[in-house]
Amino acid sequence: MATILAIETSCDETAVAVVNNRTVCSSIVASQIPIHKKYGGVVPEVASRQHLETINSATSAALEQAQISINQIDAIAVTCAPGLVGALMVGLSAAKTLAILYNLPLIGVHHLEGHIYANCLSEPSLEPPFLSLLVSGGHTSLIYVKDCGGYETLGQTRDDAAGEAFDKVARLLDLGYPGGPAIDKLAQIGNPQAFALPEGKISLPKGGYHPYDSSFSGLKTAVLRLVQQLKVENVVVPVADIAASFQETVAQSLTKRAIACAIDFGLDTIAVGGGVAANSGLRQHLQKAATDRNLRVLFPPMKFCTDNAAMIGCAAAAHFERGHTSPLTLGVRSRLPLTEVMQLYQH
Ligand code: KG4
Ligand code: ZN
């Protein structure tokens, strides 16, 4: 079983981990959230510079925490797509340097594949086929996982991603960045039935609605209008009730689509991934709906829902086992469909 040093710098966390197949030996996540908070979101140039400052110490800390020497590492894994180009470049350069210096194989990893494989950290026996509900800051998709590297997109958002909707609504409610955890916390003391908010649906040309695609921008606008109207009426904005109602609507919408998709495609397991997988409302709704229909639903451990390098190492281990490694000419890509992930490997 391979021991892999994994690096993740696609957005605002400088993360390095050591994993042995599906066991985490160490995981360092140096979050830049306090730095970006004052801008209300991630500033790409600031993120790259911060990764550069932190990458070496995070790498040393990961090896130290795992009580392992670099000579005991079998391969170097790194997120190379999708993400902020400058940020990805820092991680890739560090990974290539280590691969060349220590003569180790390099394994480029698609960030979303990492989020899918984070489920193996709570359920090590997980193997395809299964359905993955990916809900992060930049993506909302239902993915048919056929094999490691073999993906089919069955549904996606037509506008805002789920995490993006949480962040935008949190900004409207003055809850700061990142919005997801803040809304989740406040929703605990709010009434989820206080406001009936519209669930975005994608109409089909011949009538009816797309069963797996979602839309969150209408919901965000509905919250904006509600807040504006309450302010015009001089009513104190019931922030907790709005947060709870919004979270309820998102959780219901994602649950409905994921369950329909799993049943229609005969998949008995739904593995959730991405930052929004940490959301308590989504966890409760999806768990209940899955149990009612005899489906298995998996969530990564809480600390591996948001960006981390352990999930990247876990995905890399699956590729390495299949003989997939990347050339040293590997580049970064700001976008890369999950369906094209095999481009990252030499055959
Ligand atoms: O996967 P992730 O760490 O980064 C991306 O790959 O985008 O996801 C970050 C997103 C942010 O939009 C954040 O607000 C959201 O995940 N998030 C949550 C929660 N924790 C993080 N959304 C809802 N509830 C949470 N508890
Ligand atoms: Zn992510």
Side-chain angles (χ1 to χ4, degrees), residues 41-325:
V42 181
V43 183
E45 183 58 23
V46 174
S48 317
R49 285 170 193 269
Q50 201 57 38
H51 285 308
L52 204 53
E53 293 252 317
T54 320
I55 190 72
N56 286 347
S57 55
T59 305
S60 307
L63 288 167
E64 196 177 317
Q65 196 182 77
Q67 295 190 311
I68 203 170
S69 128
I70 186 92
N71 299 313
Q72 293 166 274
I73 297 290
D74 297 309
I76 306 291
V78 62
T79 307
C80 58
L84 303 170
V85 166
L88 288 166
M89 287 282 285
V90 177
L92 183 63
S93 306
K96 282 186 184 177
T97 306
L98 289 170
I100 293 168
L101 262 179
Y102 297 97
N103 196 23
L104 292 169
L106 179 72
I107 306 167
V109 175
H110 191 291
H111 182 76
L112 294 181
E113 207 175 20
H115 278 306
I116 294 174
Y117 273 83
N119 285 281
C120 300
L121 301 171
S122 53
E123 184 54 64
S125 64
L126 178 66
E127 289 298 341
F130 57 87
L131 179 69
S132 182
L133 169 64
L134 282 176
V135 275
S136 70
H139 296 83
T140 299
S141 335
L142 281 160
I143 307 284
Y144 189 157
V145 181
K146 297 183 171 173
D147 193 3
C148 168
Y151 304 102
E152 187 184 338
T153 304
L154 301 177
Q156 56 198 328
T157 178
R158 296 294 181 95
D159 38 59
D160 294 348
E164 193 180 356
F166 270 95
D167 294 336
K168 286 179 175 171
V169 166
R171 206 174 304 153
L172 279 175
L173 299 174
D174 284 329
L175 298 178
Y177 175 85
I183 290 191
D184 199 353
K185 193 164 166 218
L186 210 55
Q188 311 295 325
I189 53 162
N191 173 9
Q193 314 303 335
F195 299 98
L197 297 168
E199 178 204 321
K201 290 180 181 157
I202 302 298
S203 305
L204 290 170
K206 289 182 183 161
Y209 298 100
H210 194 293
Y212 318 131
D213 280 2
S214 43
S215 159
F216 294 111
S217 80
L219 172 59
K220 174 197 65 193
T221 308
V223 174
L224 172 66
R225 295 229 174 93
L226 174 64
V227 172
Q228 284 171 338
Q229 190 191 332
L230 291 167
K231 282 184 178 164
V232 167
E233 290 167 5
N234 258 332
V235 177
V236 178
V237 177
V239 183
D241 285 348
I242 298 177
S245 303
F246 166 77
Q247 179 166 298
E248 174 80 4
T249 310
V250 175
Q252 298 265 25
S253 156
L254 292 171
T255 296
K256 198 159 83 186
R257 284 161 178 76
I259 296 283
C261 199
I263 291 174
D264 292 352
F265 283 82
L267 296 166
D268 63 2
T269 299
I270 303 170
V272 191
V276 185
N279 186 261
S280 60
L282 177 62
R283 284 183 172 238
Q284 281 160 19
H285 277 290
L286 194 51
Q287 187 65 67
K288 177 162 187 325
T291 308
D292 289 350
R293 287 161 187 85
N294 267 329
L295 299 169
R296 177 170 73 144
V297 64
L298 302 174
F299 293 93
M302 283 301 261
K303 67 172 177 178
F304 296 124
C305 286
T306 44
D307 291 351
N308 65 87
M311 66 182 195
I312 302 302
C314 206
H319 280 291
F320 196 50
E321 201 178 281
R322 289 160 177 80
H324 305 161
T325 58

